[in-house]
Amino acid sequence: MPEEERHGIRVHLDHLLSERGMTLTELSAQVGITVVNLSVLKNGRAKAIRFSTLSRICDVLQCQPGDLITHDPAEPT
């Protein structure tokens, strides 16, 4: 991966879904986002996320953005 694309952003969607006993398919239906797009986010391949999408995910999972996404500059992907 080119150096300018490296980042230390970590997405904890698997952990949050597991804690809530929810599947990606269930989240997709409740948030109104395709399973494919949520999978891209979950697997750390997303290059961006809209605030409206982040807000809907947080509403459904009853979490804060910092519960879903963290930054660890020591470990670029």
Side-chain angles (χ1 to χ4, degrees):
M1 175 179 292
E3 189 64 35
E4 66 273 7
E5 291 184 25
R6 292 179 183 252
H7 57 79
I9 300 298
R10 300 285 170 258
V11 179
H12 308 284
L13 191 52
D14 271 344
H15 177 73
L16 290 170
L17 288 172
S18 177
E19 279 185 342
R20 285 146 179 82
M22 184 181 286
T23 66
L24 204 60
T25 302
E26 291 169 330
L27 181 63
S28 170
Q30 291 186 40
V31 172
I33 300 168
T34 67
V35 173
V36 172
N37 284 338
L38 282 175
S39 181
V40 167
L41 178 63
K42 179 183 75 116
N43 293 319
R45 294 189 319 259
K47 295 189 186 266
I49 183 169
R50 290 185 176 153
F51 284 155
S52 59
T53 300
L54 181 60
S55 181
R56 289 194 311 263
I57 292 171
C58 288
D59 286 344
V60 171
L61 295 179
Q62 297 180 337
C63 68
Q64 293 295 311
D67 299 327
L68 180 64
I69 299 171
T70 58
H71 180 246
D72 183 358
E75 295 186 31
T77 57

